[in-house]
Amino acid sequence: EADIYQTPRYLVIGTGKKITLECSQTMGHDKMYWYQQDPGMELHLIHYSYGVNSTEKGDLSSESTVSRIRTEHFPLTLESARPSHTSQYLCASSEGAWGRPQHFGDGTRLSIL
Amino acid sequence: AQSVTQLGSHVSVSEGALVLLRCNYSSSVPPYLFWYVQYPNQGLQLLLKYTTGATLVKGINGFEAEFKKSETSFHLTKPSAHMSDAAEYFCAVSLNSGGYQKVTFGTGTKLQVIP
């Protein structure tokens, strides 16, 4: 069963719209992550957070922004969506010491027309 | 810098046959190693992990992997494939990098199980 939830699961929307992808976890994990996944490619980290009020950019440059006001919530926002943002976005969390495995949500598949 | 190479983007096996998915990594120090499985329209689920200790690691669903430092490999195996094993499998390497746990994923291997 999923302890980390992403909504919406699928989103098709026009260029220029503001989008927020939601991610919530009920496990109390301090660390949370956003990955971008494209077919045949490795997962690319775009944002991560150590805890509340902590956010950092990942390896892959992204025009999206994130916030971490509550431990359980880590939303990702695109102010003005473009076709190049079309991808699958995966949220993950982990607890405690570094090296612990990450728990993933089921992803949001985003299509920008 | 760390990297992960998964040999074969697609692997097909017959039901009941051995499953072998290959993963090689490069790292300046011994890393933590993971295998994840992804079923269609779902996120990644942890199969098994190696941190320290025994180099043969057993995971869920009958999978296991062996850490071979001399070969910088962490291949995933299962003695007998089931139809339900059809999915995409990702190998991942984790290292501390400036106080942050950097996780690098391979490009994935899609496993097809033929009846």
Side-chain angles (χ1 to χ4, degrees), chain B:
Chain B
Q2 63 199 59
S3 66
V4 178
T5 301
Q6 290 185 241
L7 292 175
S9 57
H10 291 81
V11 170
S12 293
V13 300
S14 298
E15 191 175 16
L18 171 71
V19 176
L20 170 60
L21 304 182
R22 300 178 187 274
C23 173
N24 288 87
Y25 68 90
S26 67
S27 170
S28 56
V29 297
Y32 297 143
L33 295 160
F34 306 88
W35 274 100
Y36 289 87
V37 60
Q38 185 177 32
Y39 298 100
N41 300 316
Q42 293 185 23
L44 278 67
Q45 178 185 357
L46 180 70
L47 270 181
L48 49 80
K49 63 178 179 180
Y50 169 79
T51 52
T52 58
T55 56
L56 182 63
V57 180
K58 294 186 185 298
I60 62 172
N61 302 339
F63 284 93
E64 62 183 36
E66 187 172 9
F67 169 58
K68 291 188 176 181
K69 184 178 178 181
S70 61
E71 299 176 10
T72 60
S73 68
F74 191 56
H75 302 331
L76 182 70
T77 60
K78 182 174 180 177
S80 177
H82 295 162
M83 296 299 296
S84 60
D85 294 328
E88 190 159 18
Y89 293 80
F90 291 89
C91 182
V93 169
S94 173
L95 273 179
N96 274 337
S97 175
Y100 151 64
Q101 179 200 32
K102 181 176 174 62
V103 180
T104 301
F105 289 85
T107 53
T109 298
K110 283 190 177 176
L111 176 65
Q112 179 186 24
V113 182
I114 303 167

Side-chain angles (χ1 to χ4, degrees), chain A residues 25 27-33 48-54 68 70-74 92-98 100:
Chain A
Q25 50 99 1
M27 298 169 284
H29 288 174
D30 54 343
K31 300 174 184 63
M32 295 190 74
Y33 315 83
Y48 63 98
S49 168
Y50 295 112
V52 172
N53 294 325
S54 151
R68 188 91 183 273
R70 304 196 313 268
T71 298
E72 64 271 22
H73 194 214
F74 192 42
S93 69
S94 65
E95 64 171 338
W98 296 116
R100 296 283 184 91

Side-chain angles (χ1 to χ4, degrees), chain A residues 3-9 20-27 29 31-35 47 49 66-77 89-94 103-108:
Chain A
D3 295 318
I4 180 164
Y5 304 94
Q6 290 187 243
T7 57
R9 291 292 317 278
T20 297
L21 307 185
E22 300 287 350
C23 176
S24 295
Q25 50 99 1
T26 60
M27 298 169 284
H29 288 174
K31 300 174 184 63
M32 295 190 74
Y33 315 83
W34 276 103
Y35 290 91
H47 298 283
S49 168
V66 292
S67 62
R68 188 91 183 273
I69 299 172
R70 304 196 313 268
T71 298
E72 64 271 22
H73 194 214
F74 192 42
L76 180 146
T77 299
Y89 294 83
L90 291 173
C91 182
S93 69
S94 65
H103 298 254
F104 284 81
D106 285 338
T108 294

